[in-house]
Amino acid sequence: MDKINGDESKIVLFSGSKGGCGCSFITYCVSTYLASETTKNILLLDLNIGKKDSRLVFNLADDSCRDLGDIEEVINELDISILRRLVINFENSLNLILPPIKIEKNKIVCKDYLEKLLGVLKEHFDIICMDFPNYLLGRSKVCLKDFVDKFVFISLPDLISVNNLSVLTNNIICDGSSYDFDILINKFNTRPAISPTGLNAILNYPIDAFIPYDRDIEFLILNRGPDPIFNYNLRIVKNISAFSKKIYEDLSS
């Protein structure tokens, strides 16, 4: 659980326009791809407090697994010995930190706690992919730009989701500073969907990736995790792989 080389650690924040847009799905897939296809030590940091999504997808049925709620009282003493008991390691250099199941265990997203956590994690992982629910973007007192190297904003192609995405990006990128961010439209082939012309009319920024929906791939991920999907030569897999490569190239440049 150490960085592969001495390069500066990078943080990618994934957030969605609303619940159910597939933010966690994209975060899981990109993290798994980077762990499998690069030489970097990858951490997936799940901040969806009160949710079991990552436990189910990564087949962690044992509720005794440690999570972020277990370090609330020792956050100021956080070191490698505590991290080794907290982080779940997989064979492909992917590492995972689970969110607490109990909603009241949410101190970790407070300013000082989150800053301390990210500071320590950057000492041990090359790339940190944060699954960051959108409600935290407005609640977090951390200046995310000081920590995050790339933002990825995810939306479904329907009218409500895209308009919410427009509000989200405008609220985050509102100070005139330079941000490195990508916009991804998930399940763009589902209905009802806005046309590309309609998307451009609502959004102020270009769209970097379109990910189609595939029921079989979704079923595979839910039952066996993200890793097996990259064995298939399908459009959804190609698009996810291409987007993951883009993120890696952007972080490396």
Side-chain angles (χ1 to χ4, degrees), residues 8 18 53 81 90 139 152 171 186 218 220 228 235 237:
E8 182 182 359
K18 69 182 186 68
D53 300 32
S81 64
F90 298 98
R139 186 178 301 178
V152 177
N171 283 338
N186 189 32
E218 183 177 84
L220 182 62
R235 186 179 184 186
V237 178

Side-chain angles (χ1 to χ4, degrees), residues 178-241:
S178 176
Y179 287 78
D180 184 0
F181 71 96
D182 288 345
I183 292 178
L184 180 149
I185 301 297
N186 189 32
K187 300 183 180 180
F188 76 91
N189 55 331
T190 56
R191 297 290 184 268
I194 304 174
S195 67
T197 303
L199 290 172
N200 292 330
I202 296 173
L203 298 173
N204 295 323
Y205 306 101
I207 298 167
D208 298 274
F210 291 87
I211 307 297
Y213 175 67
D214 188 296
R215 183 179 59 183
D216 294 331
I217 289 296
E218 183 177 84
F219 182 81
L220 182 62
I221 288 177
L222 289 174
N223 286 274
R224 295 181 56 196
D227 199 42
I229 75 167
F230 296 104
N231 296 323
Y232 293 87
N233 188 29
L234 298 173
R235 186 179 184 186
I236 180 174
V237 178
K238 291 179 180 178
N239 289 17
I240 291 173
S241 300

Side-chain angles (χ1 to χ4, degrees), residues 11-12 14 27-28 31 42-48 54 68 71 86 94-99 108 114 117-118 121 127-133:
I11 296 180
V12 186
F14 295 80
T27 311
Y28 301 161
S31 301
I42 309 297
L43 173 67
L44 168 55
L45 175 60
D46 186 352
L47 294 178
N48 288 283
S54 54
L68 286 170
I71 65 169
L86 176 67
L94 178 65
N95 305 273
L96 170 64
I97 295 182
L98 296 169
I108 203 68
L114 188 55
L117 175 65
L118 294 178
L121 294 178
I127 299 176
I128 301 167
C129 296
M130 287 200 298
D131 188 0
F132 205 87

Side-chain angles (χ1 to χ4, degrees), residues 38-121:
T38 75
T39 59
K40 301 297 184 180
N41 197 17
I42 309 297
L43 173 67
L44 168 55
L45 175 60
D46 186 352
L47 294 178
N48 288 283
I49 296 171
K51 302 288 183 66
K52 299 188 72 171
D53 300 32
S54 54
R55 287 172 168 83
L56 295 173
V57 168
F58 290 97
N59 195 27
L60 300 169
D62 187 357
D63 286 340
S64 66
C65 291
R66 293 181 182 271
D67 58 48
L68 286 170
D70 296 319
I71 65 169
E72 284 189 345
E73 304 306 323
V74 294
I75 186 66
N76 291 321
E77 304 164 19
L78 188 60
D79 58 15
I80 186 63
S81 64
I82 296 174
L83 278 181
R84 289 192 186 282
R85 296 194 298 270
L86 176 67
V87 176
I88 298 168
N89 312 113
F90 298 98
E91 293 180 357
N92 58 1
S93 85
L94 178 65
N95 305 273
L96 170 64
I97 295 182
L98 296 169
I101 294 297
K102 295 181 179 179
I103 297 178
E104 61 270 19
K105 286 191 171 184
N106 59 7
K107 292 181 183 177
I108 203 68
V109 297
C110 297
K111 182 178 187 295
D112 294 340
Y113 281 33
L114 188 55
E115 286 184 353
K116 172 68 175 179
L117 175 65
L118 294 178
V120 173
L121 294 178

